[in-house]
Amino acid sequence: MARRKGLTFYQKKKKLNIYVVKEILSWIFWIFVSVLLAVVTVFCVGMKTSVIGSSMEPSLYNGQEIFLNRLVYKVASPRAGDVVVFLPNGNEKSHYYVKRVVGVPGDKLYIKSGMLYVNGEVVEVYFNDRIAEPGILENEVTLGEDEYFVIGDNCNSSEDSRSANVGTVRKSYIIGKAWMKLAAGDSDLGLIE
């Protein structure tokens, strides 16, 4: 029987292209994996806390929220210049302190004429002013195997390792490294340097 030419009311069925279906399913899978990885990273590695006080100004401000990396110090040790979050003397009833590491195990530190000396060299890159109160660094301090010395960037408005009631910080007291900060007034993230 011959086919008629002319009008037809039957639609031609479109075949599904298997390549397009595979590509769509692949995209859905990778989006799901990415979201799952982000959620796991935030809940298992990260943590959010707030800065209390003006001791880290101008780097961080009072009330500013920061994200921590809790995993980094399980595989590495804090380095000079890192901004860390810790509990003073491991006191779990205290609020989290946010300070900058200026001395690592084995370092010799002292303050003379408002300047911090680490291993005989002046360190002033972190501070916005000369240090008015040397505290326990009036005399040279040598850090032990598991001790870190921390000072706030706003050194004259900071309760830190110079104070006998805070003292040196053990690695086990450190909760994590300050990783990202929320900019004041909006939700923009910025890395902490």
Side-chain angles (χ1 to χ4, degrees):
M1 189 169 180
R3 278 190 127 182
R4 289 189 203 172
K5 299 205 182 223
L7 280 176
T8 179
F9 295 102
Y10 298 103
Q11 278 191 333
K12 193 175 182 180
K13 285 189 174 179
K14 291 186 178 180
K15 291 186 179 179
L16 231 53
N17 186 341
I18 208 78
Y19 174 77
V20 172
V21 171
K22 282 183 178 179
E23 188 68 23
I24 291 170
L25 290 175
S26 174
W27 274 93
I28 291 170
F29 173 77
W30 287 113
I31 289 171
F32 175 76
V33 168
S34 299
V35 169
L36 183 65
L37 186 62
V39 169
V40 167
T41 301
V42 168
F43 285 106
C44 295
V45 177
M47 180 178 149
K48 185 171 88 169
T49 190
S50 295
V51 176
I52 297 176
S54 62
S55 69
M56 285 300 292
E57 289 181 3
S59 303
L60 300 169
Y61 293 91
N62 183 33
Q64 189 172 26
E65 292 186 327
I66 58 174
F67 292 110
L68 313 180
N69 182 336
R70 294 187 297 179
L71 184 64
V72 68
Y73 294 143
K74 300 214 186 301
V75 296
S77 293
R79 297 179 300 181
D82 286 357
V83 176
V84 297
V85 177
F86 66 97
L87 289 170
N89 300 312
N91 182 359
E92 293 186 13
K93 295 183 188 222
S94 175
H95 66 84
Y96 293 122
Y97 278 46
V98 180
K99 308 289 180 199
R100 189 175 301 275
V101 175
V102 295
V104 297
D107 283 350
K108 296 178 182 189
L109 300 96
Y110 64 92
I111 294 175
K112 184 176 181 182
S113 301
M115 304 300 287
L116 171 67
Y117 290 83
V118 178
N119 299 323
E121 295 184 25
V122 175
V123 175
E124 57 185 339
V125 67
Y126 309 123
F127 310 119
N128 59 3
D129 205 357
R130 287 186 169 261
I131 301 170
E133 181 57 47
I136 65 172
L137 288 185
E138 190 169 33
N139 301 312
E140 186 176 80
V141 171
T142 301
L143 297 177
E145 187 177 316
D146 185 36
E147 295 180 322
Y148 296 86
F149 206 90
V150 297
I151 297 180
D153 289 359
N154 187 4
C155 56
N156 293 321
S157 180
S158 176
E159 181 182 30
D160 48 44
S161 289
R162 294 172 295 158
S163 170
N165 60 334
V166 175
T168 59
V169 179
R170 297 196 174 282
K171 187 175 179 182
S172 61
Y173 301 162
I174 297 174
I175 305 301
K177 180 178 182 179
W179 182 27
M180 290 184 187
K181 60 185 172 181
L182 286 170
D186 60 23
S187 62
D188 290 338
L189 294 175
L191 291 176
I192 297 175
E193 298 177 31

